[in-house]
Amino acid sequence: MIWQLDFILLVIVVICAIAAISVKDLLSSAILLGAYSFLLCLLWTEMGAVDVAFTEATVGAGISTAFFIGAIYHTSRRTKD
Amino acid sequence: MEAMDYIISKYNYWMYIILMMIGFYAMIAKKNLVKKIVGMNIFQTAIILFFISTASKKGGASIPIIQNGHGSATDIINTAHYVNPLPHVLMLTAIVVMVSTFGVAIALLLMLYKKYNTLEEDEIISILKTENGK
């Protein structure tokens, strides 16, 4: 594993997590959570865990984001915090 | 100085603790129920990231597929050349559990919205209080 790549990916992951919980629009929050999942998937591929990485890519980034967007369209996009 | 080097050399563990605390903060302090679910997702993926990082090794370890596995059984397997596959398998189960809890949470969220017509926790609690006050 290359530690520079590891460090840069970890910093972007933390930034995505903070953005996903602090943004005021729930649809943006769902998209940022999908980006967070894809970055984690890159991190796991880089660590040599390819099986976990493709499970996360299909299930964490794909299905979860689709469920999230569906739930938000059935309810409301607005949030107070 | 030695302690500082030790802390910096374990930077990935500090990052996982930061991620875990971001998720925990979102679960506790955010009023919106969708934000709470986002926080739960971040918390669970931080734990999975910690476990996967314990499996990886420095110095060019590759994925656990044995070279020359068929035919010649004369090669001695050196475990330092392969990453540890046991945490990967455990965390595959954890990812499946994560998605199922996420699905149940989304279903509960839709039921709550159908009943109370809001996603904010404090509004739901105030509606419940006025219902109980009658």
Side-chain angles (χ1 to χ4, degrees):
Chain A
M1 80 194 229
I2 313 156
W3 79 265
Q4 289 94 343
L5 184 63
D6 199 51
F7 188 74
I8 291 168
L9 279 174
L10 274 172
V11 168
I12 302 172
V13 159
V14 171
I15 290 169
C16 267
I18 292 172
I21 67 161
S22 60
V23 76
K24 299 281 182 205
D25 185 11
L26 289 182
L27 197 61
S28 316
S29 178
I31 300 298
L32 279 167
L33 196 69
Y36 168 85
S37 292
F38 267 118
L39 286 167
L40 280 180
C41 171
L42 279 179
L43 205 53
W44 287 331
T45 314
E46 186 257 331
M47 283 174 182
V50 277
D51 46 351
V52 185
F54 71 66
T55 310
E56 174 71 18
T58 53
V59 155
I63 302 283
S64 291
T65 312
F67 279 4
F68 233 130
I69 291 173
I72 287 164
Y73 272 125
H74 275 94
T75 57
S76 74
R77 268 176 77 166
R78 73 179 178 87
T79 173
K80 278 192 284 191
D81 54 2
Chain B
M1 210 55 220
E2 265 184 34
M4 202 65 206
D5 282 346
Y6 188 74
I7 287 169
I8 290 171
S9 69
K10 297 277 187 284
Y11 69 93
N12 46 355
Y13 292 159
W14 295 107
M15 290 292 197
Y16 309 148
I17 291 168
I18 289 168
L19 270 181
M20 207 181 281
M21 287 304 117
I22 288 168
F24 201 48
Y25 167 76
M27 280 172 79
I28 290 177
K30 294 288 175 183
K31 290 283 193 295
N32 192 283
L33 292 173
V34 177
K35 286 288 176 65
K36 280 179 191 283
I37 296 176
V38 171
M40 187 180 76
N41 236 327
I42 292 171
F43 194 90
Q44 286 167 329
T45 46
I47 292 168
I48 294 171
L49 192 56
F50 170 70
F51 265 84
I52 295 295
S53 80
T54 60
S56 71
K57 291 171 183 167
K58 288 193 175 76
S62 71
I63 55 175
I65 297 171
I66 295 173
Q67 285 154 9
N68 309 316
H70 292 288
S72 62
T74 53
D75 291 353
I76 295 167
I77 297 165
N78 189 356
T79 50
H81 293 163
Y82 304 102
V83 294
N84 187 4
L86 182 64
H88 299 179
V89 182
L90 292 174
M91 287 308 114
L92 276 181
T93 319
I95 286 178
V96 175
V97 172
M98 181 180 89
V99 172
S100 57
T101 52
F102 178 74
V104 172
I106 289 286
L108 288 174
L109 190 99
L110 289 175
M111 300 283 280
L112 278 172
Y113 189 79
K114 207 179 277 178
K115 188 165 184 188
Y116 296 109
N117 214 24
T118 178
L119 286 179
E120 307 288 327
E121 190 195 14
D122 46 350
E123 289 177 13
I124 290 174
I125 287 173
S126 68
I127 289 170
L128 279 173
K129 272 181 185 164
T130 52
E131 277 179 356
N132 288 337
K134 276 177 200 168

